[in-house]
Amino acid sequence: MNRAAPMKQRSVPLSIVPREEEADGFIDLDRLLAIVVRRAKLVAAFVVLFIMLGVAYLLFATSIYTSMTQILLDENLSKFAEEEPTPANSQMLDTQIASAVEILKSGELALRVVDKLNLSENETIINPPRSPVAIVKEWLRTATGLFSSGPVVSEEAARNGRRLKAAALIQQALTVERVSRSSVVALAYKSSDPLLAATVVRGYAEAYLTDQLNANFEATERASVWLQERLADLRQRSLAAALEVERFRSENGLTAARGELMSEQQLSDLNSQLIVAQADTATASARYNQFKSIIDQGPETAVNNATISPKEGDNMVIRDLRARYLTIGKREQEVAQNFGEDHPQAVSLRTEQADIARQIYQELQQLTASYKNEYEVARSRESSLRESIEGVVGRNTNASESLVHLRELEQKAAALKTLYESYLGRYEQAAQQRSFPIAKARVISEAGVPTAPSSPKKTLTLALSAVLGLMAGGAFAAFQEFRERTFRLEDDVRTILGHKSLGYVPLVGIRTKKSAELVRTRFASDRQPEAIPEGTVEFQRLSRMVLDAPQSSFAETFRNAKLACDHMLHGNESRVIGIVSAVPDEGKSVVAANFAALLAASGKRTLLIDGDIRKPGLTQMITPAPRTGLVETLMGEATWPAGIKVDQRTKLAIFPVGGEASHHQPHQSHELLASAAMANLIENARSSFDYVVVDLAPLAPVVDAKAFAPLADGFIFVVEWGRTPSRLVRDVLHSEPQINSKVLGVILNKTDMDELSKYSDFGGVEKYRHRYGKYYVEHTIDGNRPAA
């Protein structure tokens, strides 16, 4: 008991392995290639299915023949009939071609073709071959019509209805499109009758050309009639406007010379004279003011200021007096310097100089008075011209207003005359074009009778079927891959659970499924494990596979599990190992039996306890059925060694659930496993055995394994390959940290070794398992291989 105490103090996971880093890269080509290889058969099945559907379509589809003609829209065809053809740019050309396409698609043109070819009585047009869906719709419409009575339709209405129906049907089968960027329009018609297709296309081409001719003629005729009416009206209005201009001119006296009115010429002359008078007044005023300023300064300064006007118009007397004044002054200065200022000659000279200065002042006064008179005359003339201009302007105001109205009348008359001349030219042109009924289109490719159907195209249909099958298969395969939520590889165990993988236990025998289970397995991502049907392989034989095939990959996985237990529990002399799973029917009992048999065969004292009290799988392999076992021992009805059964071949001690007592109180199983009696039993087993292997109930449905968890040194977790949902296992373990921390490793049970390598990437361990056969000698049971 003392040596068992430290074995129960472990609080950290024993086998958690660091998660491998995910491969860096945008697209994992190795994984993508593995998916393609893995789902190749499924995709191929879809491709074959779609090709078969394509073949069925080709067998039942109606052959359709297409006849085509080409019409050239050429403006040059009418250039001789038009005096000035309209230049066409690329935008106008596109518009014309688009209009031609819409005309060809119009219902009016379709009705003309129907009437001309009498297509309303053609059964191929009225009742074309119908698809199965159309037939069903017609049946339903007929059945509905039996319960409703519509109004009686007259023969004329029925005939018109057939016309409209035929026109609508040929519009649906008609294709009109522009050929590249040219001026050519391609017209094609599809029909199950090749001759009818060619006839309809030819009828359409003729109807279009005829429609163009009729449209041109009718448009020209309507334009001519309208222009003629407008010409008569414009002629009358133009004459009335001209007469009104002349009458208004005479009534208002608006006579003109050289293109201008007389009053305007007079006003222009007066303005010119006024400008000259203003210039003369300004000149006289300047001279008068100049001399007046000299006089106003006094006689003393007048002699000095008289020199400011040296023009030719000044008085010659002033100039002579000025010269004498300067000469006398010079002599007076010389005498004064030589003989003194009081010398009689100097005094005489100064007296003479003063007299001359007085004379100069008098002359300036006379000249200023003369300039004043000249200024007054110029100003009077200017005022007179201004009065004359004001009088002329007053008289010309009324004439200007009348002139404005006159010019308005003249413009109206000129506009009417120009419009009349324009309409007259257009009328003459329209009259000429009526005699040239030329269409601006011609047929450049006659419609022939098709010899081969245009649809369905066999090669294209089969190719498209294959492509659709490939796409559908790929999409379904991708859906399956995205919905994959189970364990396939050991790397999944390490990545999702964080535990060590102990290896793969190959699938023994063949799984059989019901049809409903097959559907659920194919489409459900969280499908539950399926039980191996009874009678497929005997349970007793499965529990000894590790002994019957000791050199197989089956046995090698259990050896790896034993090595992991010895390594991780190397300090324990006696080891209690629980075998658990998340859900029932994952093969944990077979794993427990084979693991215990391997331990016993290696010479270790091993006890195998069937701890799944509610569904004892190991107990079923014991014959005859035991009378006492684990339940009786825990309830105190028997001693624990009394219920042990020993396998004579391996010396494996097996402790079954028990006899009748185990069926009376199955709901108390968790209390029994968590009882003190169970703890004492395990302590006693430690003292007698090297290994105690306990087959426990699944974790998800019941709590029995959780109750036993404190007594175990470690757990081996069993997961069914490709069946057990990974999220379920992860959630179960995360919700039970006491068990999760003691998990020694995970065994992937019931592995399909033929399919295993398909789930591995290039370079993965599973890709090279086919090379391991040199080290294994596989064993068969009932003709079925236990391992791939």
Side-chain angles (χ1 to χ4, degrees):
M1 294 179 63
N2 294 332
R3 63 179 181 179
M7 302 177 187
K8 304 176 184 179
Q9 304 302 321
R10 192 175 293 109
S11 60
V12 296
L14 298 177
S15 59
I16 294 180
V17 179
R19 295 180 61 178
E20 298 181 0
E21 296 183 359
E22 297 182 357
D24 187 15
F26 181 70
I27 298 178
D28 191 344
L29 296 179
D30 294 338
R31 184 178 181 185
L32 184 60
L33 181 60
I35 293 175
V36 171
V37 173
R38 183 163 60 248
R39 304 295 180 180
K41 292 183 179 179
L42 176 64
V43 175
F46 270 89
V47 172
V48 172
L49 175 62
F50 273 75
I51 290 178
M52 293 176 62
L53 293 176
V55 172
Y57 168 75
L58 293 175
L59 292 176
F60 294 99
T62 302
S63 297
I64 301 298
Y65 297 86
T66 302
S67 181
M68 185 182 68
T69 187
Q70 291 182 334
I71 301 174
L72 174 63
L73 306 179
D74 192 357
E75 293 287 339
N76 294 327
L77 295 176
S78 59
K79 64 182 180 179
F80 299 105
E82 297 180 358
E83 295 182 358
E84 295 181 358
T86 303
N89 53 27
S90 58
Q91 184 176 3
M92 293 179 59
L93 181 61
D94 293 341
T95 303
Q96 293 174 359
I97 295 176
S99 301
V101 171
E102 295 303 320
I103 292 174
L104 287 167
K105 292 180 179 179
S106 64
E108 182 65 25
L109 196 63
L111 285 174
R112 293 182 184 179
V113 174
V114 169
D115 295 338
K116 182 177 181 180
L117 302 179
N118 196 23
L119 297 180
S120 59
E121 305 298 330
N122 192 306
E123 288 297 324
T124 305
I125 296 291
I126 299 300
N127 297 312
R130 293 175 293 176
S131 63
V133 176
I135 294 175
V136 172
K137 289 182 179 179
E138 183 64 24
W139 288 349
L140 293 176
R141 192 180 298 110
T142 303
T144 306
L146 295 177
F147 301 96
S148 60
S149 57
V152 179
V153 180
S154 63
E155 183 179 354
E156 182 65 24
R159 186 182 304 106
N160 188 51
R162 287 195 299 271
R163 289 179 62 249
L164 296 176
K165 180 179 179 181
L169 290 175
I170 65 173
Q171 279 184 285
Q172 293 177 3
L174 185 69
T175 303
V176 184
E177 59 184 8
R178 181 181 182 181
V179 179
S180 186
R181 297 293 299 171
S182 65
S183 300
V184 177
V185 176
L187 181 68
Y189 180 78
K190 298 179 180 180
S191 174
S192 58
D193 185 358
L195 182 59
L196 178 62
T199 303
V200 171
V201 171
R202 293 168 185 167
Y204 251 99
E206 295 177 1
Y208 177 74
L209 296 179
T210 304
D211 179 75
Q212 291 295 302
L213 292 175
N214 294 336
N216 292 338
F217 182 80
E218 292 174 1
T220 305
E221 182 68 21
R222 286 195 298 269
S224 299
V225 173
W226 183 82
L227 286 172
Q228 190 173 7
E229 296 175 355
R230 292 293 297 164
L231 281 173
D233 179 63
L234 287 173
R235 185 185 303 109
Q236 294 177 1
R237 292 172 59 188
S238 178
L239 291 175
L243 291 175
E244 186 178 0
V245 169
E246 296 301 327
R247 183 171 57 253
F248 184 82
R249 190 191 301 273
S250 61
E251 289 176 356
N252 292 273
L254 298 177
T255 58
R258 299 191 303 272
E260 294 182 353
L261 295 176
M262 297 298 292
S263 58
E264 290 180 351
Q265 294 180 4
Q266 184 181 4
L267 181 62
S268 178
D269 294 339
L270 289 174
N271 283 327
S272 300
Q273 294 177 14
L274 177 62
I275 293 173
V276 174
Q278 288 176 343
D280 294 341
T281 302
T283 302
S285 174
R287 279 189 301 207
Y288 168 69
N289 292 330
Q290 181 183 11
F291 282 91
K292 185 175 182 300
S293 63
I294 294 173
I295 295 300
D296 293 340
Q297 292 176 4
E300 290 79 8
T301 60
V303 177
N304 296 328
N305 292 332
T307 60
I308 65 174
S309 181
K311 298 182 180 179
E312 297 180 357
D314 293 344
N315 196 335
M316 296 299 294
V317 177
I318 295 177
R319 292 185 180 182
D320 295 340
L321 292 175
R322 175 64 178 169
R324 290 175 59 192
Y325 178 82
L326 293 176
T327 303
I328 294 171
K330 185 183 295 185
R331 289 178 59 193
E332 187 271 334
Q333 291 178 357
E334 292 177 354
V335 172
Q337 290 178 357
N338 295 325
F339 302 103
E341 294 182 357
D342 295 334
H343 190 274
Q345 188 177 356
V347 173
S348 176
L349 290 172
R350 282 196 294 270
T351 302
E352 185 179 0
Q353 187 179 20
D355 184 58
I356 294 173
R358 187 176 53 259
Q359 294 178 11
I360 292 174
Y361 181 74
Q362 291 177 355
E363 290 294 332
L364 289 173
Q365 286 180 337
Q366 294 177 2
L367 188 60
T368 300
S370 175
Y371 285 153
K372 181 179 180 182
N373 293 332
E374 184 180 349
Y375 168 68
E376 294 294 336
V377 171
R379 189 172 61 177
S380 175
R381 183 171 178 271
E382 180 183 354
S383 298
S384 177
L385 289 173
R386 289 183 181 277
E387 292 176 359
S388 299
I389 289 174
E390 290 176 358
V392 173
V393 168
R395 293 192 303 272
N396 200 31
T397 301
N398 296 330
S400 298
E401 294 178 357
S402 300
L403 182 62
V404 171
H405 187 58
L406 176 63
R407 289 175 180 174
E408 181 181 358
L409 294 176
E410 290 176 347
Q411 292 175 355
K412 180 179 179 181
L416 288 173
K417 181 179 179 181
T418 303
L419 186 61
Y420 172 75
E421 293 175 352
S422 175
Y423 272 73
L424 182 60
R426 295 176 62 181
Y427 174 75
E428 295 295 336
Q429 182 180 0
Q432 293 178 6
Q433 289 180 355
R434 280 186 297 176
S435 60
F436 292 96
I438 301 176
K440 298 181 180 181
R442 62 189 177 92
V443 177
I444 62 173
S445 176
E446 291 290 341
V449 179
T451 58
S454 58
S455 67
K457 298 180 180 179
K458 298 180 180 179
T459 304
L460 180 60
T461 300
L462 294 178
L464 183 60
S465 299
V467 171
L468 293 177
L470 185 63
M471 294 173 61
F476 187 73
F479 173 77
Q480 286 188 317
E481 288 294 329
F482 289 138
R483 300 288 290 176
E484 180 68 40
R485 298 293 186 272
T486 61
F487 294 95
R488 296 289 185 178
L489 303 173
E490 292 181 334
D491 183 66
D492 297 339
V493 175
R494 293 189 291 268
T495 302
I496 299 174
L497 302 180
H499 289 296
K500 178 181 179 180
S501 174
L502 300 179
Y504 303 97
V505 174
L507 173 65
V508 179
I510 302 175
R511 287 193 183 95
T512 59
K513 303 177 183 178
K514 299 179 182 179
S515 59
E517 294 172 342
L518 287 171
V519 174
R520 186 184 66 183
T521 302
R522 175 60 61 187
F523 290 98
S525 61
D526 54 349
R527 51 186 178 272
Q528 297 296 327
E530 301 171 1
I532 299 178
E534 297 181 1
T536 303
V537 180
E538 296 180 0
F539 181 79
Q540 291 82 356
R541 301 285 299 277
L542 288 175
S543 63
R544 294 176 177 270
M545 279 293 301
V546 70
L547 302 178
D548 296 337
Q551 298 183 14
S552 64
S553 58
F554 186 94
E556 195 66 24
T557 299
F558 290 100
R559 292 192 187 96
N560 186 35
K562 177 181 179 300
L563 183 62
C565 294
D566 294 341
H567 175 71
M568 301 182 71
L569 302 175
H570 64 279
N572 299 353
E573 296 181 1
S574 179
R575 299 152 188 171
V576 179
I577 302 172
I579 309 298
V580 294
S581 64
V583 292
D585 301 325
E586 292 189 280
K588 62 176 180 56
S589 298
V590 175
V591 172
N594 281 276
F595 181 61
L598 177 68
L599 295 174
S602 65
K604 301 294 183 179
R605 295 175 299 166
T606 305
L607 173 64
L608 176 60
I609 301 177
D610 189 357
D612 191 354
I613 299 177
R614 308 194 190 198
K615 189 179 178 183
L618 293 176
T619 303
Q620 297 176 0
M621 64 178 286
I622 300 176
T623 54
R627 295 182 179 181
T628 61
L630 178 63
V631 175
E632 287 80 5
T633 300
L634 297 179
M635 295 178 65
E637 298 177 1
T639 58
W640 78 273
I644 294 177
K645 306 295 181 180
V646 179
D647 184 11
Q648 298 301 323
R649 180 179 177 184
T650 60
K651 306 303 180 182
L652 172 64
I654 304 175
F655 198 16
V657 170
E660 296 296 331
S662 61
H663 301 288
H664 296 325
Q665 297 175 332
H667 59 280
Q668 299 179 355
S669 58
H670 66 284
E671 297 177 359
L672 296 176
L673 293 175
S675 63
M678 186 66 188
N680 292 331
L681 188 150
I682 294 299
E683 291 298 331
N684 292 331
R686 288 180 184 273
S687 62
S688 302
F689 296 94
D690 298 322
Y691 288 91
V692 178
V693 180
V694 183
D695 180 20
L696 296 170
L699 289 175
V702 295
V703 299
D704 294 5
K706 306 173 189 177
F708 182 78
L711 304 178
D713 297 329
F715 291 93
I716 293 178
F717 205 94
V718 179
V719 175
E720 185 173 358
W721 183 87
R723 297 295 183 88
T724 306
S726 57
R727 180 177 178 180
L728 172 64
V729 177
R730 182 189 62 191
D731 293 345
V732 168
L733 289 178
H734 286 181
S735 64
E736 299 298 332
Q738 187 176 11
I739 296 178
N740 191 28
S741 63
K742 294 184 179 181
V743 174
L744 303 176
V746 179
I747 290 180
L748 295 175
N749 193 29
K750 302 181 184 179
T751 303
D752 190 344
M753 305 305 288
D754 292 331
E755 298 290 327
L756 178 61
S757 61
K758 297 180 181 179
Y759 289 89
S760 177
D761 299 340
F762 179 79
V765 177
E766 291 78 6
K767 282 290 185 182
Y768 299 92
R769 292 192 68 86
H770 63 281
R771 299 187 182 183
Y772 301 169
K774 299 178 181 179
Y775 293 89
Y776 300 142
V777 178
E778 304 295 352
H779 183 67
T780 59
I781 296 181
D782 297 339
N784 298 316
R785 296 181 62 192

